[in-house]
């Protein structure tokens, strides 16, 4: 394997790769299985903490007392209202038209025009002029309606005009809640006797002109000028219905106001007036009665507001209140960052600078270091496997001459082999110098196998040493079937050595067999590990921007 460091190339994803199925799948997994939460920094400061709690308390008071209770933030509301109004005026008045002439008028005379949409004109004063279609006398004779109207001298208003009564009939509907109401909920006996009063009869739909004038203009002089020159009055009917309560509590509220300016402030075109005429013919001549009417114009407006409890509306308002509570944190952050004397410390803890280029370099360095370590580890494993193989070859070469010699002796004298070995002098076992050296593998030291010198140099000829056979059978032979006895015997005969009973070669053979089995196991595991490392996919580098 080469010792050069691997080359790593980092490049941004193209548009096609970004919208690929695998990338979209990873994005979806991160969206489903990953959760992000903001970083929280705790500040141990009494001043900032008290300021934060004070702002939060004020926001809670505003949200609970005003939004939830006063404005009924737990209700779904409906302000689109369908309304219809009917107006009727009753009363008889009279006016002095001459020294001994009195004109009595009723509703058919002073209601002009008879019907309007959401409005009413009540005539309280007038100037009438009977005219004939002819040439009018003067410096220049002009054909027209004569005589000309004289409005310089305005008469007094109609008497008893303050006692006229106005009956207002109103029908409404809230289409969202399918609720229909009207302002006439009382019985007939009550309606025949009641007159509107702000203190005692607030729901009575019958209004006296004097009561309305007292409300819109308390000044008596202004009241008289309004009757003489006319004026404009607003009547507002407001329906505020809490549908969480009984429907009988859904009743209107009446308010009044003056729309035209006071006479003491207006110097041009004061009051409200208009002209209308009635025509007839007599003996082939055309006549008309021209009337300049002064009076009070009532403009009726209807508005409504209905509410009913709704869980969604309540949830939205609670969420809005929680969002408003974040205003306290925002204000405290501004104070801590720019006003507090230790703002630098808080700024260091609050914000974290991230350099994307530096992060890329750190990622590449860590990745390169990891790959270098992996390459070094693989080299070490390869060297270890090669050392083990060389040791196995040395052992097999060292054992081969003895095996061949024994095989030849066995073929020549198969019957008296045991007798010859027991009666003959101690044999000399020759070992190659390669085995006498220590074999080092995983801190395991193989015991030396060259004991021939110690045996030949033994000075005691009288000692009797018994020899025994040592068979080194590999563990793989135990898994062979029972029918292969000849093959097993042949392998055992090759792997059989004869040594003295008190020789350390016996224990050396045992340790050698254990060493061989361990080497086989480790070599197989290292081979498997190397294959797994080769099959391991290359590391994946992700850059989050």
């Amino acid at each position: 394997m080469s010792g050069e460091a691997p080359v790593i190339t980092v490049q941004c994803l193209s548009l096609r790769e970004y919208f690929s199925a695998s990338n979209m799948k990873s994005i979806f997994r991160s969206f489903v299985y990953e959760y992000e939460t903001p970083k929280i920094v705790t500040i141990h400061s009494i001043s900032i903490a008290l300021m934060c709690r004070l702002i939060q308390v004020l926001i809670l008071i505003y949200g609970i007392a005003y939004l939830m209770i006063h404005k009924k933030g737990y209700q779904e509301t409906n302000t689109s209202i369908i309304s219809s109004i009917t107006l009727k005026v009753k009363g008889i008045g009279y006016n002095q038209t001459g020294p001994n002439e009195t004109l009595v008028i009723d509703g058919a005379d002073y209601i002009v025009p008879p019907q309007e949409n959401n409005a009413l004109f009540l005539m309280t004063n007038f100037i009438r002029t009977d005219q004939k279609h002819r040439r009018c006398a003067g410096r220049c004779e002009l054909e027209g309606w004569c005589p000309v109207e004289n409005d310089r001298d305005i008469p007094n208003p109609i008497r008893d005009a303050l006692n006229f009564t106005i009956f207002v009939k109103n029908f409404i509907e809230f289409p969202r809640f399918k609720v229909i109401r009207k302002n006439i909920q009382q019985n007939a006996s009550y309606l025949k006797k009641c007159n509107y009063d702000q203190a005692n009869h607030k729901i009575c739909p019958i209004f006296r002109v004097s009561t309305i004038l007292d409300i819109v203009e308390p000044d008596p002089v202004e009241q008289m000028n309004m009757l003489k020159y006319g004026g404009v009055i607003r009547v507002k009917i407001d329906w505020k219905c809490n549908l969480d309560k009984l429907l009988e509590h859904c009743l209107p509220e009446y308010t009044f106001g003056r729309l035209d300016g006071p006479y003491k402030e207006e110097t041009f075109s004061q009051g409200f007036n208009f002209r209308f005429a009635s025509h007839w013919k007599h003996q082939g001549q055309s006549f008309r009665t021209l009337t300049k009417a002064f009076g009070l114009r009532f403009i009726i407006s209807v508005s409504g507001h209905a509410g009913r409890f709704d869980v969604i509306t309540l949830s939205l308002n609670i969420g809005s209140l929680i969002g408003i509570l974040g205003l306290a944190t925002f204000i405290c952050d501004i104070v801590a960052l720019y006003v507090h004397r230790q703002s630098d410390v808080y700024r260091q803890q609050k914000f974290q600078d991230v350099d994307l280029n530096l992060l890329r370099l750190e990622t590449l360095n860590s990745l390169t270091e990891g790959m270098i370590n992996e390459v070094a580890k693989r080299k070490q494993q390869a060297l270890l496997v090669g050392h083990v193989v060389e040791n196995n070859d040395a052992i097999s070469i060292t054992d081969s001459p003895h095996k061949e010699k024994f095989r030849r002796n066995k073929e020549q004298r198969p019957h008296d082999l045991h007798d010859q070995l027991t009666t003959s002098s101690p044999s000399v076992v020759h070992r190659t110098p390669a085995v006498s050296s220590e074999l080092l593998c995983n801190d395991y030291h193989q015991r030396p196998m060259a004991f021939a010198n110690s045996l030949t140099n033994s000075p005691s000829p009288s000692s009797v040493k018994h020899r025994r056979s040592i068979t080194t059978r590999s563990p793989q032979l135990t898994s062979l079937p029972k029918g292969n006895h000849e093959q097993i015997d042949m392998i055992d005969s090759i792997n059989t050595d004869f040594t003295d009973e008190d020789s350390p070669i016996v224990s050396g053979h045992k340790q050698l067999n254990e060493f061989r089995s361990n080497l086989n196991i480790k070599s197989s595991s290292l081979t498997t590990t190397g294959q797994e490392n080769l099959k391991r996919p290359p590391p994946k580098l992700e850059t989050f921007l």
Side-chain angles (χ1 to χ4, degrees), residues 43-54 332 340-341:
I43 304 177
H44 297 278
S45 175
I46 298 177
S47 59
I48 297 178
L50 290 178
M51 180 179 65
C52 181
R53 298 298 177 262
L54 179 61
C332 293
H340 200 267
R341 61 180 180 273

Side-chain angles (χ1 to χ4, degrees), residues 103-319:
L103 179 62
V104 179
I105 56 178
D106 56 9
D109 298 321
Y110 52 72
I111 301 300
V112 183
Q115 189 66 39
E116 291 186 74
N117 292 328
N118 300 334
L120 171 68
F121 177 75
L122 176 61
M123 186 176 65
T124 57
N125 197 6
F126 62 91
I127 298 174
R128 281 184 177 176
T129 305
D130 294 330
Q131 295 177 335
K132 180 181 179 182
H133 190 271
R134 60 185 176 84
R135 291 184 178 180
C136 299
R139 293 182 179 182
C140 298
E141 292 184 356
L142 299 175
E143 187 173 353
W145 296 98
C146 302
V148 180
E149 178 188 61
N150 184 12
D151 56 356
R152 294 180 180 179
D153 186 12
I154 298 177
N156 292 325
I158 298 173
R159 296 179 183 180
D160 289 342
L162 295 175
N163 294 324
F164 294 168
T165 59
I166 303 173
F167 174 58
V168 180
K169 185 185 293 185
N170 182 217
F171 303 92
I172 64 162
E173 179 185 2
F174 293 102
R176 186 176 185 84
F177 303 119
K178 298 181 180 180
V179 175
I180 299 175
R181 296 292 292 170
K182 59 182 179 180
N183 64 338
I184 304 174
Q185 299 294 336
Q186 299 77 15
N187 51 30
S189 60
Y190 173 78
L191 294 175
K192 289 179 181 179
K193 298 177 180 179
C194 74
N195 285 316
Y196 177 81
D197 183 76
Q198 288 183 330
N200 300 322
H201 303 281
K202 297 177 64 174
I203 60 175
C204 183
I206 300 173
F207 308 91
R208 293 182 69 226
V209 175
S210 60
T211 304
I212 297 175
L213 290 178
D214 291 338
I215 294 173
V216 300
E217 190 57 67
D219 189 0
V221 178
E222 287 291 331
Q223 290 184 9
M224 186 57 63
N225 291 332
M226 291 179 69
L227 293 175
K228 186 177 182 178
Y229 299 102
V232 182
I233 298 174
R234 171 189 57 81
V235 180
K236 183 178 180 180
I237 306 175
D238 190 15
W239 293 81
K240 294 182 179 180
C241 299
N242 186 1
L243 301 182
D244 294 331
K245 299 180 180 180
L246 296 177
L247 201 58
E248 286 75 12
H249 295 88
C250 182
L251 299 173
E253 295 181 2
Y254 303 96
T255 56
F256 307 91
R258 183 179 180 182
L259 299 180
D260 63 317
Y263 289 98
K264 56 186 177 183
E265 298 177 1
E266 297 288 339
T267 58
F268 180 77
S269 183
Q270 297 176 343
F272 182 82
N273 61 81
F274 65 94
R275 292 178 177 88
F276 65 94
S278 58
H279 297 261
W280 74 94
K281 285 185 177 182
H282 179 68
Q283 295 179 358
Q285 295 181 353
S286 298
F287 297 90
R288 77 173 185 178
T289 299
L290 180 63
T291 303
K292 184 178 182 180
F294 303 87
L296 302 174
R297 179 173 175 81
F298 297 92
I299 298 176
I300 315 298
S301 62
V302 182
S303 63
H305 178 276
R308 179 177 289 171
F309 176 79
D310 184 68
V311 177
I312 298 177
T313 306
L314 177 61
S315 302
L316 292 175
N317 289 329
I318 292 175

